[in-house]
Amino acid sequence: MRPTRLALTSFALFFLTLPAHAENMTLDRMGALIDRVGQDVEREGGLWRLTIEDVPVMIVTDASVDRMRIMTPIRNAGGLDEA
């Protein structure tokens, strides 16, 4: 798996394992985790913009309904190599 895919997959899987501890998660605690894995992190309330291995990532949260979305651009598979 390419390093970028591995990093993004690891990042997403990390957040998918949080439900067991979600009752202890706050936006500030999540922000600290994001600061550890991302570069050029910008935060506006429950919205983060960052990069992981030169891939832009946006994380949108709504604490009132305990929801989070991680968004990143996708590419046409025809432009990718097999690595």
Side-chain angles (χ1 to χ4, degrees), residues 21-71:
H21 306 288
E23 65 275 0
N24 299 322
M25 185 57 65
T26 65
L27 291 181
D28 289 335
R29 186 167 173 218
M30 191 162 91
L33 295 170
I34 291 168
D35 286 338
R36 287 180 19 200
V37 298
Q39 298 87 41
D40 303 320
V41 177
E42 297 176 18
R43 178 180 176 185
E44 295 176 32
L47 169 69
W48 284 267
R49 289 183 186 91
L50 60 139
T51 57
I52 298 176
E53 295 186 20
D54 297 323
V55 177
V57 177
M58 184 168 59
I59 301 172
V60 180
T61 64
D62 185 342
S64 68
V65 291
D66 200 24
R67 296 287 184 256
M68 172 190 65
R69 300 291 182 261
I70 300 173
M71 294 172 263

